[in-house]
Amino acid sequence: MSRTIIGFGVSLLALIGLVILPTVIDAYGVGLLLGLAGYVTLATAWALFSGPTRYVSLATVAFFGIGAYTVAVLSETLPYPLVLLVAALLGMVVAVLVGLATLRLAGVYFVIFTFGLAELIRQLVTWYEVNVTGTLGRYIFLPFSATDIYWQLLGLGAVTLLIGWWIGRSRIGLALKVIGDDEVVAAHAGIDIARIKLALFTVSATIMTLVGAIQAPRWTYVEPSIVFNPTISFLTLIMALLGGATRLWGPLLGAVPLFLMFEWLSANFPSHYSIILGCLFIVIVFVVPRGVLAFIEEHSGRFRNRKPEESAK
Amino acid sequence: MIVTAIISGLVLGGTYALVAMGLTLQYGISRIMNLAYGETIIIAAFCAYLLVSQLGINPVLGLIIILPGAFAFGYLVYGLMMQPLVKRSAKSGTLEVDSILATFGLLFVLQGVMLVVFGSNYTSYSYLNFGVQIFGATIGANRLLAFVLAVVIGAALYLALTRTRWGTAIRAVAVAPQSAPLVGIDVNRTARFAFALGATLAASGGVMISMYQTFTASMGVIFTMKALVVVIMGGLGNLMGALVAGLLLGLVETLVATYVDPGLTLAATYAIFLAVLLWRPSGLFGKAAS
C-alpha cells in the first residue's frame, strides 16, 4: 500500500511540474507539449481496451475525428463545456453501436472493420457536407491559447491514467486479463465477456473523442481529410505497442520518444516519413513484440527473479 | 443505362474477384493476414505504366515480365519477414496479430517508396481506349480485356488447385495444417509458395486495373480493404466464394455510383461487409461458425 502512495505522490509532483512547465518555455515548446499530451492520452486510452483484450483497434482516428468535427460544427452555437459534452456523448453512442456490431467478431474481422471505420465516417461526413450543407471545411474560432489546450489535455491524460490504474486493480481488470488470455476460459468462469468489452471499448473511445474535441481549436480550419487522417490511428497504435500495451505506464513510455522522433522526422525528412514509420513498425514487431517494459523485465530476469522470494519472506 | 451499369459492374467485379483470390490464398494457406496486399497491386500497376510509357511494351505482354517478378517478390517477403514470425508464434499463437502489424509496417515502407519514386499524382496510360458494343451497352475495350484476362487467370488457378496433385497439397494445408505433414507435405514450403502465388494474383490484378483506371501511390489501402471485404463475404479461404462475392461487390459499387452517389461507394462496401458479417459471420460460402 505504501508503494501506491509513493507512486501517487511522485505522479502528482510530476503532474504539477507539467502544469507549470508552459509558463517557463517558449511557444514551440508548448506546441510540442500539447501534441505530446494528446498522443500520450490517445495511446493510454487505446491500451485501456486493446492492451488486455488483444483486440487491435485501428478506429482511434474515427473517434478523434468525431470529437474534432463536433467542435467545428457546434463551437459557435453552444457554450464550450456543452460542446465537449455533446462530443463525448456522440463518441459514446458511436462506440456503443460499433461495439455491439463488431465486438462479437474475432481478431482479423475486428481489425479490418476498425481499419475501415474512419474511412467510412470520413466519407459520410464529406458526402453530407458537400450535398447537404454545400461546403467542405469549417472554421473554428475559439479563444484558446496553446497553453489552455495543453492544460485540458493534461487533465484528460491524468484522468485516463487514473482510470487505467483503477481498472488494473479492480475486478474488471482481472476479468480482462482472463479474456485476453483465453476467452473460452473467461466465459466458463462466468465473466460476461461481451459486456465488459463493450464497456471498456466505450470508455476508451469516449476519451479519444474528447482528445479530438479538445485539440480541434488548434486548427482554425477543419476538413474531413484533416481530422480523419488515418496516420493518427497508426501512430497511437505503434506508441502503445512500443511501450507495452498491457502496462499502465507503457503507452506513455512509448509515446514520448516516438512523438519527439516523428516531430523531428516530419520536419527534416517529410518525403521519407512513411518509409521510416514502416521500418519502425517492423522493428518493433520483431524486437519488442510485447513492448519495451516487458522486454526489460524479461532481459533483467536474473535480478527480478530473486525479488519475489525475498518479499515472500 | 441499367444494362451498362450491370455489365460494367460485373467487369469491375471480375478484377475484384481475381484480386481477392490472391488474398484468400495468402490468408487461407499461409495464415498471413497481409495488409500490404493492396501495395503489391499498385506496384504492379506502376510497373505496367513504366513498361508502356518507357519501353512501349503493351500491358498484356508486360504480364510475362511482371508476374514472375511478383512471384519472386512474394517469395522473398515470406522468407524474410513472415517465416521468422511463423516460427516464433508456433508456441505463442500470436501469428495473426504479429502478421497484421508486420505487414502494416510493410505497407508504409512500400507506399513510402512509391511516393518517393512516382510522387503522389494520379497516373494512367492509354491502352485500347475505345468502346465496344455488348448487349446494346457500350463498354471500354480495355475493361473488357481486363475482364477476359481475369476470367482466364482465375479459371486456370481454379483448375490447377482442384485438378492437380500439387493443388491438392495446397488445399490440404489450408484444411489441416497439422495433419498435412503426415502425408509428406512440406507445410512451410507450401505456405511460402501460396504466399508468392497470392502476390502474383495481386500483381495481375494491378496490371488489369492500370489498363482502365487512374491510380496513385497511396491507393493500395483501398484495394486491400476491398479485397478483404470480398474475401470475408465469400468465406475465408473459399475461392468460389471470392469469385461470387467479387462480382457482387463490383455490381453494388457500380450501381451505387450510378444511381446514388459516386462519393458513397466505399460506404456501400462497408455496409455490405457489416451486413454479411452480422448475418453470416463465416461468409456467404463459409462453413458454419463454430
Side-chain angles (χ1 to χ4, degrees), chain B residues 27-236:
Chain B
Y27 187 69
I29 294 151
S30 324
R31 321 264 158 201
I32 303 290
M33 179 40 75
N34 182 5
L35 288 186
Y37 189 77
E39 269 57 40
T40 321
I41 297 173
I42 301 294
I43 290 176
F46 272 114
C47 288
Y49 163 74
L50 281 184
L51 286 178
V52 171
S53 63
Q54 304 294 320
L55 303 171
I57 297 173
N58 90 46
V60 179
L61 279 177
L63 283 174
I64 299 169
I65 305 167
I66 293 171
L67 294 191
F71 188 89
F73 173 75
Y75 199 76
L76 211 69
V77 167
Y78 188 87
L80 290 178
M81 265 182 75
M82 303 309 156
Q83 209 139 296
L85 292 180
V86 172
K87 274 199 187 119
R88 184 172 85 188
S89 67
K91 297 173 289 202
S92 52
T94 50
L95 182 60
E96 200 155 84
V97 172
D98 278 357
S99 69
I100 286 172
L101 296 174
T103 54
F104 215 23
L106 188 64
L107 180 165
F108 283 112
V109 174
L110 295 179
Q111 196 182 77
V113 170
M114 282 192 286
L115 280 170
V116 170
V117 177
F118 298 103
S120 55
N121 294 330
Y122 279 88
T123 309
S124 67
Y125 58 85
S126 180
Y127 174 67
L128 290 184
N129 204 1
F130 54 84
V132 175
Q133 291 274 331
I134 302 171
F135 304 121
T138 312
I139 190 154
N142 42 20
R143 280 174 188 266
L144 202 63
L145 176 69
F147 180 69
V148 170
L149 280 174
V151 169
V152 169
I153 295 176
L157 178 77
Y158 187 76
L159 288 178
L161 283 177
T162 48
R163 299 277 187 277
T164 65
R165 223 183 128 70
W166 160 94
T168 312
I170 286 194
R171 285 184 297 131
V173 174
V175 174
Q178 281 87 23
S179 321
L182 299 178
V183 288
I185 296 170
D186 185 341
V187 172
N188 185 28
R189 224 179 68 195
T190 314
R192 195 171 181 177
F193 185 81
F195 190 85
L197 200 61
T200 316
L201 283 179
S204 62
V207 173
M208 277 156 220
I209 286 161
S210 75
M211 288 181 191
Y212 61 83
Q213 205 178 320
T214 54
F215 48 92
T216 68
S218 47
M219 244 167 103
V221 174
I222 295 171
F223 284 109
T224 309
M225 282 303 308
K226 284 180 182 169
L228 282 170
V229 169
V230 171
V231 165
I232 287 164
M233 268 166 62
L236 284 174

Side-chain angles (χ1 to χ4, degrees), chain A residues 54 56 58 100-102 104-109 111-113 115-117 119-120 123-124 127 131 231 234 237 241 271-272 274-279 281-282 285-287 289, chain B residues 27 33 35 80-81 84-85 88 94 96-98 100-102 104-106 108-109 111-113 116 221 225 228 232 236 261 263-267 270 273-274 277-278 281-282:
Chain A
R54 295 214 210 147
V56 178
L58 292 169
L100 283 177
T102 58
R104 291 189 297 140
L105 308 174
V108 183
Y109 295 114
V111 179
I112 294 156
F113 184 77
F115 191 29
L117 184 67
E119 199 60 30
L120 171 68
Q123 216 181 33
L124 289 177
W127 180 82
N131 289 284
T231 314
F234 306 145
L237 171 74
L241 283 182
S271 54
H272 297 82
S274 85
I275 300 179
I276 299 166
L277 177 66
C279 291
F281 241 100
I282 295 171
V285 173
F286 273 90
V287 182
Chain B
Y27 187 69
M33 179 40 75
L35 288 186
L80 290 178
M81 265 182 75
L85 292 180
R88 184 172 85 188
T94 50
E96 200 155 84
V97 172
D98 278 357
I100 286 172
L101 296 174
F104 215 23
L106 188 64
F108 283 112
V109 174
Q111 196 182 77
V113 170
V116 170
V221 174
M225 282 303 308
L228 282 170
I232 287 164
L236 284 174
D261 191 305
L264 287 179
T265 50
L266 214 59
Y270 292 126
F273 173 71
L274 200 59
L277 275 185
L278 293 177
S282 51

